[in-house]
Amino acid sequence: MANNKNNIKVERAPFTYKGNTYLEYFICGNVRGREVKIKLAPPDKNDKGGYTVLDIVFGNEDKADFVTEPFEFTNGEGKLVAGTRFLVRTVDKETGEVYESAVKPARSSDKTLLAMLMR
């Protein structure tokens, strides 16, 4: 069962790099009284199409739900693998259709901050 820990929202905002404008995806939160910005990225950093998928998920909105979803499976060696995947999810207001995409923390520091925020 998926959950939305503390109703965390993923935001997107434009930034400029070398004269080009791009969108970045992030979670703003508070960890031990300190404001943090946790950057997110598509699960495969080499697949630039992942950003197109995120753009479709967000549609015309600048915020989306951050959803955690536990998983487990048995690998080819018979070992149980368990973890949590992270999703960005929106629901179309007119049709009720759900749009979602997997995301991951962009850097190891973002991963650590996200773990702290999720406690």
Side-chain angles (χ1 to χ4, degrees):
M1 177 173 157
N3 72 7
N4 190 349
K5 175 95 171 147
N6 299 322
N7 199 28
I8 295 172
K9 295 290 185 184
V10 177
E11 300 178 50
R12 73 172 174 180
F15 72 97
T16 303
Y17 177 73
K18 293 186 178 181
N20 294 318
T21 301
Y22 303 95
L23 291 170
E24 66 178 343
Y25 300 86
F26 55 91
I27 295 170
C28 290
N30 189 301
V31 177
R32 295 189 82 182
R34 194 166 188 181
E35 294 297 320
V36 296
K37 182 177 180 179
I38 303 165
K39 292 187 180 184
L40 300 174
D44 180 358
K45 73 161 82 171
N46 295 320
D47 179 8
K48 300 305 179 201
Y51 288 99
T52 300
V53 174
L54 283 171
D55 190 41
I56 291 169
V57 169
F58 273 80
N60 294 326
E61 303 297 322
D62 288 328
K63 290 187 180 184
D65 292 326
F66 178 73
V67 179
T68 59
E69 189 173 86
F71 68 86
E72 68 178 41
F73 63 91
T74 304
N75 68 11
E77 299 172 1
K79 294 182 182 177
L80 182 66
V81 177
T84 302
R85 73 182 195 140
F86 305 122
L87 302 167
V88 174
R89 181 179 293 158
T90 59
V91 178
D92 186 286
K93 293 174 184 170
E94 292 178 18
T95 66
E97 190 168 354
V98 175
Y99 293 89
E100 66 182 21
S101 177
V103 290
K104 69 175 187 174
R107 304 169 297 218
S108 60
S109 59
D110 294 313
K111 183 177 180 180
T112 302
L113 287 169
L114 183 57
M116 290 177 185
L117 183 66
M118 300 282 297
R119 289 187 190 149

